[in-house]
Amino acid sequence: MQRTHTCGALRVSDAGRKAVLMGWVNRRRDLGSLIFIDVRDRTGATQVVFDRERNPALHDKAEVLRNEYVVAAIGTVKKRDPNTVNKNIPTGEVELVADELRILNQAKQPPFLPSETVLPNEEMRLKYRYIDLRRDAMQFNIELRHKVAMAIRGYLSAKGFFEIETPFMTRSTPEGARDYLVPSRVQPGSFYALPQSPQLFKQILMISGFDKYFQIVRCFRDEDLRADRQPEFTQIDLEMSYPQPDRVYEVVEGFLTAAFKAAGFQIKTPFPRMTYDEAIRLYGSDKPDLRLPPMTDVRDTFAQENLSNLAVSASSPIVAICIPKVGELSRKERDDIKPLFSGRGNAKLFEDFKRLEKSFPETAAKIREKSGAQPEDLIVIVAADSKPATHPSEGGVKPEVKQHDHAVYTAAGLLRVALAQRYAAQHGAFVRRDFRFLWVTDFPMFEWDEQGKRWAAAHHPFTSPHERDMDKLQSDPASVRALAYDVVLNGTELGSGSIRIHRQDIQRTIFHALGMTEEEAHTRFGFFLEALEYGTPPHGGIALGLDRIVMILAGAESLREVIPFPKTARAVDLMVDAPTPVSEAQLKELGIQVKKN
RNA sequence: GGGGACGUAGUUCAGUUGGUUAGAACGCUGCCCUGUCACGGCAGAGGCCGCGGGUUCGAGUCCCGUCGUCCCCGCCA
């Protein structure tokens, strides 16, 4: 027997036709001599009627149906009487009057039902993922993911990009995140690593002449998880030869337009751009959320004596955060927002603007004016304590003052986001369908690694510095800007890329600046340094998180809602119960001994 | 590694100051019901209160430990 229609397909125009539906019993309404069954598949549900008067034997058969049985219903499509139409579903104007019923499979009572309105807890959903995935919302998200991926593939392919696969079993490069390791049986004691990204392979594809590459590819990072971080995740990875950053922006804006269109949204291009320094000063973050107003430096509105009264540093920024339409806060609410502020460096919070207005009316008025705050907006001030902070680092090479500024800005930026989340209902700026994209450019090349007491690559060590900063690589690493860029959406980093180093001598200089000896560079990246010597075209690219894009499009709070088989916060797959110990024999074959305690 | 929230019926939850027989809704089982669509009505079954220990005459409730899930910080080039 052949299915003639899916469960979401039948309409009034089909009335009178014979139809065969197959699917799950979504709900059963047994009225005695009349039984209604909603038969569900991924396209929807259709009501099937069993009438005792019409066919007693068939009616008896339908009596045994239970939730989640898989059935085939054969019958005639009937236009419903006007008073029995269900306006809530697309198939609600028709029903299938059954002539025959086949029970294709019975079902045990499931731990929860896909049709249930209240969700079971996540542990349950992950253990019985196949049932959870039957839910409308999950079916929608997975379909959305498919459409988005296809739109991106189609766009990039049309623009001349080849989708090229790169190895999953590759070489461990102990930079950045921890690797997932795969032991080699043939060479006991040696390990492959799963890629954190196909970074070096895609660069080598440029050296190999493929010119434009992309891949929708799984990446693996053994770091602690978050709602927006899974140990394996999917990147839209691309690389091109001879690009300016603008060329990369165009491609990304192009495929994002296609992806959002596939999801039913129109977005505006080109995206606005902002340097890293601007982002930090205006938003206290390298991934600004543009849906709310930026912060304002109101340092110049304070008189010198005010600053000493408030014990505030005059040389550091004084930042006003404005959250629209929050209204006046009660004493208790003010106390409640204090814990949202984490005093980085010597940053301190003034959450009571009213009090400031009382003590310094002129200053307060100027702050209102400068920040453009409306009377009903919430204003809080973040400044630096005038007491010199005891800084953990020694040695005078680092730009200390700048770092203190940075601490004030980022402390304010974190508070801004936390306040925005808390008062989302008041300002209403977080309603869906408002997509504020942004390019953040000119990232610093290096970051000071406090633990390792050394400079580390802010992006990755293959990122090209700005031409104009080349001579500062040794003398003033902190001020070197990279040809790196992030694409940001509503405060989420969607992707990150750069123009790469294509000259072997510059690559060596960067490794050197990162404190790597010639020997270290050779053992870790020798193959790559060598490849650079055989005629490497200038190249650059970017990688975007597919999961995050789909998450935002789905309006979901967690990546787990858009990944069919995700892992828990402890990187466990509850359905298959992985990871597990393995047998002694397996370990022996790999030459691995597990330390017991 | 650190901080926080949660864990009670198949599921979602309630459970007072530590007190006698641990409740509700949905689901499940049986019966009734010819126009329901989150059908309705009646009856019923269903509990290692995550696990281990302690305090107490008495623990779902208090304490300690442990396991699990979620969120955050660190971490994620």
Side-chain angles (χ1 to χ4, degrees):
Chain A
M1 173 164 337
Q2 189 71 37
R3 160 166 79 165
T4 60
H5 297 78
T6 56
C7 296
L10 292 174
R11 295 290 183 276
V12 177
S13 55
D14 298 302
R17 279 209 191 125
K18 286 273 174 193
V20 179
L21 299 181
M22 297 192 186
W24 284 270
V25 174
N26 196 46
R27 268 215 162 80
R28 139 187 94 105
R29 292 174 292 280
D30 185 347
L31 276 65
S33 305
L34 201 58
I35 298 173
F36 298 99
I37 304 287
D38 294 334
V39 182
R40 181 199 74 230
D41 64 18
R42 72 170 201 224
T43 65
T46 303
Q47 173 164 283
V48 180
V49 197
F50 301 91
D51 190 336
R52 181 182 279 154
E53 234 165 56
R54 215 171 156 267
N55 190 337
L58 181 65
H59 179 275
D60 286 352
K61 207 171 171 186
E63 269 183 336
V64 308
L65 292 177
R66 293 294 179 268
N67 285 325
E68 300 307 301
Y69 277 30
V70 183
V71 297
I74 301 98
T76 311
V77 182
K78 187 193 132 196
K79 181 180 179 193
R80 296 199 201 180
D81 291 339
N83 56 323
T84 64
V85 163
N86 182 355
K87 281 174 236 122
N88 301 320
I89 55 171
T91 62
E93 281 186 273
V94 294
E95 61 194 3
L96 189 72
V97 180
D99 296 318
E100 197 186 335
L101 170 70
R102 292 195 194 173
I103 296 173
L104 303 177
N105 214 337
Q106 301 183 323
K108 288 207 322 195
Q109 190 202 329
F112 57 94
L113 292 172
S115 56
E116 205 84 43
T117 42
V118 273
L119 274 181
N121 73 38
E122 222 172 330
E123 209 173 337
M124 193 61 56
R125 292 178 55 200
L126 291 175
K127 179 162 183 201
Y128 298 96
R129 192 57 159 176
Y130 36 89
I131 295 171
D132 187 49
L133 287 169
R134 287 180 195 167
R135 293 170 39 240
D136 285 347
M138 293 307 279
Q139 296 268 322
F140 176 87
N141 289 355
I142 301 303
E143 181 181 354
L144 177 67
R145 187 183 175 114
H146 164 73
K147 286 180 180 161
V148 166
M150 288 306 287
I152 293 168
R153 276 212 170 82
Y155 180 88
L156 289 174
S157 178
K159 292 285 172 186
F161 287 78
F162 293 171
E163 184 164 25
I164 307 176
E165 288 167 287
T166 51
F168 275 1
M169 292 183 355
T170 180
R171 193 193 153 84
S172 177
T173 52
E175 285 273 320
R178 264 186 291 270
D179 289 321
Y180 276 101
L181 296 176
V182 180
S184 162
R185 174 183 59 82
V186 189
Q187 299 181 55
S190 284
F191 295 81
Y192 303 94
L194 303 180
Q196 297 170 26
S197 82
Q199 184 60 36
L200 290 175
F201 284 105
K202 69 173 172 178
Q203 291 193 237
I204 285 178
L205 284 170
M206 295 305 105
I207 301 175
S208 311
F210 285 101
D211 198 82
K212 289 175 179 173
Y213 142 94
F214 85 102
Q215 191 178 188
I216 296 183
V217 63
R218 200 68 57 85
C219 301
F220 307 85
R221 292 178 192 176
D222 186 4
E223 294 294 340
D224 288 350
L225 276 44
R226 289 283 191 284
D228 62 351
R229 264 159 44 188
Q230 281 276 310
E232 44 179 317
F233 59 99
T234 303
Q235 285 197 339
I236 304 147
D237 190 46
L238 68 87
E239 194 79 4
M240 50 214 283
S241 293
Y242 314 108
Q244 302 294 316
D246 281 344
R247 291 289 305 123
V248 179
Y249 300 168
E250 269 172 47
V251 170
V252 171
E253 286 167 2
F255 79 65
L256 283 176
T257 300
F260 276 65
K261 191 177 167 201
F265 299 111
Q266 222 189 336
I267 60 174
K268 259 176 53 188
T269 58
F271 303 157
R273 298 176 196 180
M274 187 181 291
T275 65
Y276 171 85
D277 286 336
E278 274 181 286
I280 295 293
R281 271 191 289 108
L282 295 175
Y283 295 91
S285 167
D286 61 0
K287 40 181 200 241
D289 191 332
L290 302 185
R291 291 173 297 178
L292 287 168
M295 314 188 299
T296 318
D297 190 336
V298 294
R299 175 166 13 184
D300 55 8
T301 64
F302 285 85
Q304 187 57 49
E305 63 265 31
N306 295 352
L307 293 175
S308 34
N309 273 342
L310 292 165
V312 158
S313 159
S315 56
S316 293
I318 300 175
V319 178
I321 302 168
C322 169
I323 310 287
K325 299 179 191 158
V326 173
E328 200 166 312
L329 294 190
S330 68
R331 169 74 200 270
K332 185 178 179 313
E333 285 172 311
R334 284 201 303 274
D335 283 344
D336 285 348
I337 64 172
K338 278 184 204 165
L340 299 179
F341 179 74
S342 64
R344 306 186 150 204
N346 56 350
K348 69 194 235 183
L349 168 68
F350 297 91
E351 78 283 352
D352 193 348
F353 193 71
K354 265 231 136 135
R355 207 165 110 195
L356 205 74
E357 267 176 329
K358 241 175 224 161
S359 318
F360 312 105
E362 279 173 39
T363 301
K366 275 190 236 161
I367 291 174
R368 277 194 184 281
E369 196 197 327
K370 196 169 179 195
S371 65
Q374 300 298 306
E376 70 278 14
D377 295 354
L378 170 67
I379 303 173
V380 297
I381 307 290
V382 174
D385 201 285
S386 56
K387 285 191 288 277
T390 47
H391 210 269
S393 67
E394 320 113 42
V397 280
K398 289 193 305 130
E400 292 285 341
V401 177
K402 251 192 108 182
Q403 232 171 332
H404 287 161
D405 285 6
H406 196 269
V408 174
Y409 286 128
T410 53
L414 287 172
L415 178 64
R416 173 177 174 272
V417 170
L419 287 173
Q421 270 160 9
R422 165 154 311 195
Y423 296 109
Q426 280 89 329
H427 62 70
F430 287 175
V431 286
R432 270 171 70 188
R433 286 156 180 74
D434 185 18
F435 300 116
R436 304 290 295 273
F437 289 94
L438 174 71
W439 288 107
V440 178
T441 65
D442 296 282
F443 277 80
M445 184 76 189
F446 303 104
E447 271 165 8
W448 183 249
D449 175 6
E450 196 57 55
Q451 276 175 342
K453 302 282 179 215
R454 63 186 188 94
W455 290 100
H459 185 58
H460 57 58
F462 317 106
T463 299
S464 176
H466 260 292
E467 197 71 43
R468 57 162 198 264
D469 293 337
M470 286 294 185
D471 53 340
K472 290 190 279 193
L473 283 175
Q474 304 295 336
S475 57
D476 186 12
S479 72
V480 177
R481 299 289 110 169
L483 282 170
Y485 33 81
D486 278 7
V487 57
V488 173
L489 169 56
N490 295 351
T492 298
E493 180 198 317
L494 282 190
S496 184
S498 63
I499 301 300
R500 327 295 183 186
I501 298 164
H502 63 279
R503 274 170 45 187
Q504 182 267 153
D505 56 331
I506 296 175
Q507 186 66 70
R508 267 175 213 275
T509 312
I510 296 298
F511 283 150
H512 184 71
L514 290 169
M516 229 183 277
T517 65
E518 190 75 14
E519 208 183 349
E520 276 174 315
H522 188 261
T523 35
R524 286 190 195 179
F525 301 112
F527 72 99
F528 184 65
L529 286 171
E530 192 179 2
L532 287 176
E533 293 183 283
Y534 288 97
T536 298
H539 59 285
I542 192 165
L544 277 74
L546 176 67
D547 316 88
R548 284 186 182 175
I549 293 172
V550 178
M551 177 174 111
I552 290 171
L553 284 170
E557 293 292 319
S558 156
L559 285 187
R560 295 184 299 275
E561 300 299 316
V562 298
I563 297 176
F565 303 105
K567 294 183 175 53
T568 69
R570 285 175 64 254
V572 169
D573 183 326
L574 292 176
M575 187 181 71
V576 304
D577 184 28
T580 57
V582 295
S583 71
E584 269 310 315
Q586 275 179 294
L587 288 174
K588 202 177 160 194
E589 213 167 28
L590 297 167
I592 291 177
Q593 221 178 0
V594 176
K595 215 168 140 189
K596 303 223 163 72
N597 61 314

mmCIF file of all heavy atoms in Angstrom, chain A residues 1-6 18-23 71-75 96 100 102 104:
data_model
loop_
_atom_site.group_PDB
_atom_site.id
_atom_site.type_symbol
_atom_site.label_atom_id
_atom_site.label_comp_id
_atom_site.label_asym_id
_atom_site.label_seq_id
_atom_site.Cartn_x
_atom_site.Cartn_y
_atom_site.Cartn_z
ATOM 1 N N MET A 1 0.833 -1.201 0.000
ATOM 2 C CA MET A 1 0.000 0.000 0.000
ATOM 3 C C MET A 1 0.867 1.251 0.000
ATOM 4 O O MET A 1 1.898 1.302 0.622
ATOM 5 C CB MET A 1 -0.892 0.003 1.239
ATOM 6 C CG MET A 1 -1.645 1.304 1.365
ATOM 7 S SD MET A 1 -3.009 1.258 2.487
ATOM 8 C CE MET A 1 -3.412 -0.443 2.545
ATOM 9 N N GLN A 2 0.407 2.243 -0.713
ATOM 10 C CA GLN A 2 1.166 3.466 -0.905
ATOM 11 C C GLN A 2 0.480 4.632 -0.201
ATOM 12 O O GLN A 2 -0.733 4.788 -0.296
ATOM 13 C CB GLN A 2 1.276 3.741 -2.413
ATOM 14 C CG GLN A 2 2.211 4.854 -2.794
ATOM 15 C CD GLN A 2 3.662 4.445 -2.566
ATOM 16 O OE1 GLN A 2 4.032 3.299 -2.789
ATOM 17 N NE2 GLN A 2 4.470 5.386 -2.103
ATOM 18 N N ARG A 3 1.244 5.445 0.489
ATOM 19 C CA ARG A 3 0.705 6.676 1.073
ATOM 20 C C ARG A 3 0.400 7.640 -0.062
ATOM 21 O O ARG A 3 1.236 7.851 -0.939
ATOM 22 C CB ARG A 3 1.745 7.235 2.035
ATOM 23 C CG ARG A 3 1.598 8.684 2.382
ATOM 24 C CD ARG A 3 2.439 9.027 3.575
ATOM 25 N NE ARG A 3 3.854 9.196 3.226
ATOM 26 C CZ ARG A 3 4.733 9.784 4.033
ATOM 27 N NH1 ARG A 3 4.376 10.205 5.232
ATOM 28 N NH2 ARG A 3 5.988 9.905 3.675
ATOM 29 N N THR A 4 -0.812 8.218 -0.079
ATOM 30 C CA THR A 4 -1.162 9.124 -1.175
ATOM 31 C C THR A 4 -0.957 10.592 -0.804
ATOM 32 O O THR A 4 -0.708 11.413 -1.681
ATOM 33 C CB THR A 4 -2.647 8.961 -1.591
ATOM 34 O OG1 THR A 4 -3.466 9.268 -0.447
ATOM 35 C CG2 THR A 4 -2.929 7.549 -2.058
ATOM 36 N N HIS A 5 -1.102 10.906 0.456
ATOM 37 C CA HIS A 5 -0.952 12.289 0.904
ATOM 38 C C HIS A 5 -0.199 12.311 2.231
ATOM 39 O O HIS A 5 -0.277 11.357 3.000
ATOM 40 C CB HIS A 5 -2.314 12.962 1.125
ATOM 41 C CG HIS A 5 -3.146 13.070 -0.110
ATOM 42 N ND1 HIS A 5 -3.845 12.007 -0.634
ATOM 43 C CD2 HIS A 5 -3.391 14.126 -0.934
ATOM 44 C CE1 HIS A 5 -4.480 12.401 -1.718
ATOM 45 N NE2 HIS A 5 -4.226 13.683 -1.927
ATOM 46 N N THR A 6 0.471 13.406 2.491
ATOM 47 C CA THR A 6 1.014 13.586 3.842
ATOM 48 C C THR A 6 -0.100 14.124 4.733
ATOM 49 O O THR A 6 -1.155 14.537 4.243
ATOM 50 C CB THR A 6 2.184 14.580 3.833
ATOM 51 O OG1 THR A 6 1.740 15.810 3.264
ATOM 52 C CG2 THR A 6 3.349 14.026 3.028
ATOM 53 N N LYS A 18 -10.252 9.598 -2.801
ATOM 54 C CA LYS A 18 -9.733 8.538 -1.930
ATOM 55 C C LYS A 18 -8.360 8.963 -1.432
ATOM 56 O O LYS A 18 -7.604 9.601 -2.183
ATOM 57 C CB LYS A 18 -9.591 7.233 -2.732
ATOM 58 C CG LYS A 18 -10.915 6.562 -3.034
ATOM 59 C CD LYS A 18 -11.288 5.649 -1.879
ATOM 60 C CE LYS A 18 -12.688 5.063 -2.082
ATOM 61 N NZ LYS A 18 -13.175 4.426 -0.846
ATOM 62 N N ALA A 19 -8.041 8.646 -0.207
ATOM 63 C CA ALA A 19 -6.712 9.012 0.300
ATOM 64 C C ALA A 19 -6.207 7.957 1.251
ATOM 65 O O ALA A 19 -6.982 7.295 1.956
ATOM 66 C CB ALA A 19 -6.751 10.368 0.986
ATOM 67 N N VAL A 20 -4.897 7.783 1.265
ATOM 68 C CA VAL A 20 -4.236 6.896 2.221
ATOM 69 C C VAL A 20 -3.256 7.747 3.026
ATOM 70 O O VAL A 20 -2.325 8.333 2.470
ATOM 71 C CB VAL A 20 -3.466 5.767 1.501
ATOM 72 C CG1 VAL A 20 -2.766 4.878 2.523
ATOM 73 C CG2 VAL A 20 -4.409 4.959 0.619
ATOM 74 N N LEU A 21 -3.488 7.844 4.322
ATOM 75 C CA LEU A 21 -2.605 8.601 5.205
ATOM 76 C C LEU A 21 -1.825 7.646 6.095
ATOM 77 O O LEU A 21 -2.366 6.621 6.527
ATOM 78 C CB LEU A 21 -3.408 9.561 6.090
ATOM 79 C CG LEU A 21 -4.236 10.641 5.400
ATOM 80 C CD1 LEU A 21 -4.929 11.505 6.464
ATOM 81 C CD2 LEU A 21 -3.367 11.510 4.504
ATOM 82 N N MET A 22 -0.583 7.986 6.355
ATOM 83 C CA MET A 22 0.194 7.191 7.303
ATOM 84 C C MET A 22 0.842 8.124 8.310
ATOM 85 O O MET A 22 1.320 9.202 7.956
ATOM 86 C CB MET A 22 1.251 6.376 6.573
ATOM 87 C CG MET A 22 0.624 5.364 5.611
ATOM 88 S SD MET A 22 1.792 4.164 4.987
ATOM 89 C CE MET A 22 0.767 3.313 3.785
ATOM 90 N N GLY A 23 0.841 7.679 9.552
ATOM 91 C CA GLY A 23 1.443 8.544 10.572
ATOM 92 C C GLY A 23 1.162 8.045 11.975
ATOM 93 O O GLY A 23 0.688 6.920 12.159
ATOM 94 N N VAL A 71 -0.111 4.210 12.148
ATOM 95 C CA VAL A 71 -1.243 3.630 11.439
ATOM 96 C C VAL A 71 -1.268 4.048 9.974
ATOM 97 O O VAL A 71 -0.659 5.040 9.583
ATOM 98 C CB VAL A 71 -2.589 4.067 12.077
ATOM 99 C CG1 VAL A 71 -2.685 3.562 13.502
ATOM 100 C CG2 VAL A 71 -2.760 5.576 12.014
ATOM 101 N N ALA A 72 -2.007 3.264 9.177
ATOM 102 C CA ALA A 72 -2.381 3.675 7.840
ATOM 103 C C ALA A 72 -3.899 3.796 7.834
ATOM 104 O O ALA A 72 -4.586 2.862 8.237
ATOM 105 C CB ALA A 72 -1.928 2.648 6.809
ATOM 106 N N ALA A 73 -4.398 4.958 7.446
ATOM 107 C CA ALA A 73 -5.844 5.176 7.386
ATOM 108 C C ALA A 73 -6.231 5.364 5.925
ATOM 109 O O ALA A 73 -5.687 6.228 5.238
ATOM 110 C CB ALA A 73 -6.237 6.389 8.215
ATOM 111 N N ILE A 74 -7.166 4.519 5.487
ATOM 112 C CA ILE A 74 -7.593 4.576 4.097
ATOM 113 C C ILE A 74 -9.048 5.024 4.095
ATOM 114 O O ILE A 74 -9.859 4.490 4.866
ATOM 115 C CB ILE A 74 -7.470 3.193 3.420
ATOM 116 C CG1 ILE A 74 -6.023 2.704 3.489
ATOM 117 C CG2 ILE A 74 -7.929 3.244 1.961
ATOM 118 C CD1 ILE A 74 -5.717 1.751 4.608
ATOM 119 N N GLY A 75 -9.384 5.992 3.266
ATOM 120 C CA GLY A 75 -10.763 6.448 3.283
ATOM 121 C C GLY A 75 -11.030 7.514 2.240
ATOM 122 O O GLY A 75 -10.260 7.697 1.301
ATOM 123 N N LEU A 96 -10.881 12.701 7.059
ATOM 124 C CA LEU A 96 -10.851 11.470 6.281
ATOM 125 C C LEU A 96 -11.849 10.503 6.897
ATOM 126 O O LEU A 96 -11.718 10.125 8.061
ATOM 127 C CB LEU A 96 -9.445 10.860 6.292
ATOM 128 C CG LEU A 96 -9.243 9.683 5.346
ATOM 129 C CD1 LEU A 96 -9.205 10.157 3.896
ATOM 130 C CD2 LEU A 96 -7.968 8.928 5.684
ATOM 131 N N GLU A 100 -10.859 1.808 5.928
ATOM 132 C CA GLU A 100 -9.959 0.743 6.312
ATOM 133 C C GLU A 100 -8.893 1.316 7.236
ATOM 134 O O GLU A 100 -8.516 2.478 7.115
ATOM 135 C CB GLU A 100 -9.297 0.165 5.049
ATOM 136 C CG GLU A 100 -8.669 -1.192 5.250
ATOM 137 C CD GLU A 100 -7.899 -1.652 4.006
ATOM 138 O OE1 GLU A 100 -8.221 -1.201 2.894
ATOM 139 O OE2 GLU A 100 -6.949 -2.436 4.184
ATOM 140 N N ARG A 102 -5.117 0.206 9.121
ATOM 141 C CA ARG A 102 -4.060 -0.764 9.398
ATOM 142 C C ARG A 102 -3.186 -0.233 10.518
ATOM 143 O O ARG A 102 -2.731 0.912 10.463
ATOM 144 C CB ARG A 102 -3.187 -0.974 8.163
ATOM 145 C CG ARG A 102 -3.960 -1.680 7.071
ATOM 146 C CD ARG A 102 -3.054 -2.214 6.009
ATOM 147 N NE ARG A 102 -3.848 -2.589 4.849
ATOM 148 C CZ ARG A 102 -3.323 -2.968 3.696
ATOM 149 N NH1 ARG A 102 -2.009 -3.003 3.541
ATOM 150 N NH2 ARG A 102 -4.100 -3.295 2.688
ATOM 151 N N LEU A 104 0.169 -0.227 11.802
ATOM 152 C CA LEU A 104 1.499 -0.584 11.293
ATOM 153 C C LEU A 104 2.443 -0.916 12.436
ATOM 154 O O LEU A 104 3.381 -1.684 12.273
ATOM 155 C CB LEU A 104 2.070 0.561 10.460
ATOM 156 C CG LEU A 104 1.192 1.006 9.281
ATOM 157 C CD1 LEU A 104 1.811 2.181 8.561
ATOM 158 C CD2 LEU A 104 0.956 -0.157 8.307
#
